[in-house]
Amino acid sequence: MSKLFFDYKGILLPCMGCNAEDIAFAENEFQVRDDDIFNITYPKSGTTWMTDILSLIKKNGDPTWNKTVPNWDRVPWIENHVHKAQVSEEQPRLIASHLPRHLFVKSFDGSKAKVIYTVRNPKDVAVSLYYFAKMTSFYEDPEGFDEFVKDFITGDIPFGSWFDHVKGWLEMLGKDNFMVQTYEDLHKDPRGRVLKICKFLGKELDDKAVDSVVENTSFQFMKENQMSNYSLVPSNYMDQEKSPFMRKGTTGDWKNHFTIALNEYFDKIYKDKMQGFCMKFPWDENL
Ligand code: PPS
């Protein structure tokens, strides 16, 4: 195992910013409140995007918070900043996490706290993660894309297998406090999806406020916003010269990276692992 990661109950986690004690605290001691809102994702699925959307919704479309406070302070990671999340400012608390369902905060069970789970085409996740691993010092620098995708498939990477993560969280489908959001639908119809998110959160925004949420969370806007694009992180941790955090923000970039053989291999495993799954995703149409 890479010394950049540690094993917590069989799941690899990056040592950067957290340790086993933090995760155990998040899992066993963190006290969820009924009005907490969790932004949950497998890495590279649209976390940062949802963080900015939720921040703007909380502030009724006023972009000041998004423009002046870094995303990790607006929507702290429960695994990295548990103590900060615990004492964050006024309600509702917005909290992000990549933790798989089975390691998630125990006090969430039975609470009314809401979860928005954003899920993205795993092939695009793998591409995005590949570039992320190259630009950060807290992931192993991948040797080649094909090898990286094979580790992605086996789940031999931080936060474990995409398949297990998605299947674990989507067991909550149908629950009143759970909403699933695909990156692809958000990309296709941002306004429509923002309205759905507001409805789920029981938050009524006027048209102008909704417009502001959409405008201030466009890829271009967020790419230029220092509070969203991680440019405040020193380059020895994230080298944006190698690859910007806000890289492409598109759907289907996998087509530029997967060979025909790798794609066939991936599809076969995907079909096998997701067989009989209760939800159809936008990318399933092409299988
Ligand atoms: S992380 O490190 O896990 O928190 O990364 P995460 O934020 O989940 O995912 C990063 C990818 O999301 C893209 N992104 C966006 N796409 C479209 N619109 C907006 N506003 C947006 N904000 C972030 C970001 O560019 C990464 O995807 P790739 O494919 O690498 O560009």
Side-chain angles (χ1 to χ4, degrees), residues 44-49 98 120 128 183 217 246-249:
K44 313 321 285 182
S45 301
T47 333
T48 314
W49 196 359
H98 287 322
R120 184 183 192 185
S128 182
Y183 177 101
T217 56
M246 298 291 295
R247 195 182 59 89
K248 280 196 179 172

Side-chain angles (χ1 to χ4, degrees), residues 89-134:
E89 47 125 27
E90 89 271 7
Q91 310 289 319
R93 299 186 300 185
L94 304 175
I95 302 163
S97 181
H98 287 322
L99 287 176
R101 178 70 185 97
H102 71 284
L103 296 182
F104 197 63
V105 189
K106 288 203 175 112
S107 64
F108 168 70
D109 298 333
S111 79
K112 292 187 183 133
K114 292 185 174 163
V115 163
I116 299 180
Y117 185 74
T118 309
V119 59
R120 184 183 192 185
N121 185 336
K123 293 178 194 168
D124 283 336
V125 171
V127 172
S128 182
L129 196 52
Y130 172 75
Y131 286 100
F132 185 69
K134 284 190 156 305

